[in-house]
Amino acid sequence: MPRPIAADPVSAPQKIVVLTGAGISAESGIATFRAADGLWEQHRIEDVATPEGFARDPALVHRFYNARRAAAASAAPNAAHKALARLQAAGRHDLLIVTQNVDDLHERGGASSVLHMHGSLAGALCADCGHRWPAPAVMAQEDPCPACHAAATRPDIVWFGEIPYHMDRIWGALREADLFVSIGTSGQVYPAAAFAQDAARAGAQTLELNLDPSALTAEFDEARQGPATRLVPAWVDSLLA
Ligand code: APR
Ligand code: ZN
């Protein structure tokens, strides 16, 4: 049940945690997952986003991520990515950007120190020794690992059933946050789907900026519906006014 909203919850916060999902990149032309034409309508999660799927057919998984890497490379950051970078650059708030996305549009939009909790298309990982290195545009399992030379190359993406990255840092920031803002996510995948509750339990105000109501909208102190390229710049302008 949303709590009474403080006088102006968006002007007072010092420590802000922002979580983004596929919706922030949608207006850059990158497919989301659960829309009618989403990625999970075209591919079975168990085939392309699980360790078992990779073990069964690594070439299929590499085709899926090579296509997403190419789509991300040809996309441009939009006004929402750039607004968050502007907020970070203003330096007036302690802002942590956490993303579920694996594209690099936050960084190409000017943001720094973005936490990719589901990994990144820009990374390659050796399934044998755990070595990480910059991903080539087109990756194949037989690419030899630069460290152990095994033919065990996989995308550095966190698949279902694997442990998301940076969780200690994220949970620590949620415990300290004055404001948690969720942008462009359907709130259906944990642990990210619990972040609003985690932050609220620690006393933060919570704000959702999303095209449509999500599975979690009722949990937020305030929820605004609309395209991220309109809502996020307006929210950042209200903070920097
Ligand atoms: N502006 C704002 N929000 C938008 C826009 C837009 N232009 N377009 C779509 N959205 C919203 C949708 O309303 C939806 O709630 O973005 C959300 C996208 O939801 P999903 O497709 O489920 O993507 P996401 O929430 O990021 O998925 C989370 O699930 O499959 C895993 O690892 C994958 O990181 C992903 C995770
Ligand atoms: Zn290796």
Side-chain angles (χ1 to χ4, degrees), residues 21-23 27 32-34 40 100 118 184-186 189 210-212 228:
E27 290 163 273
T32 62
F33 293 94
R34 295 173 180 84
W40 297 150
Q100 300 173 96
H118 290 168
T185 181
S186 61
V189 174
N210 206 58
L211 187 64
D212 315 304

Side-chain angles (χ1 to χ4, degrees), residues 98-117:
V98 179
T99 188
Q100 300 173 96
N101 299 341
V102 294
D103 65 55
D104 60 351
L105 294 185
H106 280 298
E107 292 84 351
R108 286 166 52 206
S112 55
S113 70
V114 178
L115 296 186
H116 285 264
M117 63 183 288

Side-chain angles (χ1 to χ4, degrees), residues 78-199:
N78 62 48
H81 299 107
K82 293 174 184 169
L84 291 181
R86 184 159 52 89
L87 180 60
Q88 199 174 48
R92 287 167 39 187
H93 303 82
D94 178 353
L95 171 66
L96 179 66
I97 300 174
V98 179
T99 188
Q100 300 173 96
N101 299 341
V102 294
D103 65 55
D104 60 351
L105 294 185
H106 280 298
E107 292 84 351
R108 286 166 52 206
S112 55
S113 70
V114 178
L115 296 186
H116 285 264
M117 63 183 288
H118 290 168
S120 168
L121 290 167
L125 170 66
C126 175
D128 273 10
C129 76
H131 180 67
R132 286 184 167 84
W133 67 98
V138 178
M139 189 189 290
Q141 187 199 21
E142 51 276 11
D143 296 345
C145 164
C148 74
H149 310 298
T153 297
R154 58 167 276 186
D156 190 10
I157 300 286
V158 178
W159 286 327
F160 286 90
E162 296 184 322
I163 299 170
Y165 295 153
H166 310 296
M167 289 313 304
D168 289 344
R169 175 133 176 241
I170 295 168
W171 276 320
L174 291 170
R175 280 194 296 273
E176 301 294 320
D178 302 308
L179 177 64
F180 171 75
V181 186
S182 174
I183 301 170
T185 181
S186 61
Q188 300 190 42
V189 174
Y190 286 83
F195 286 177
Q197 277 182 352
D198 295 339

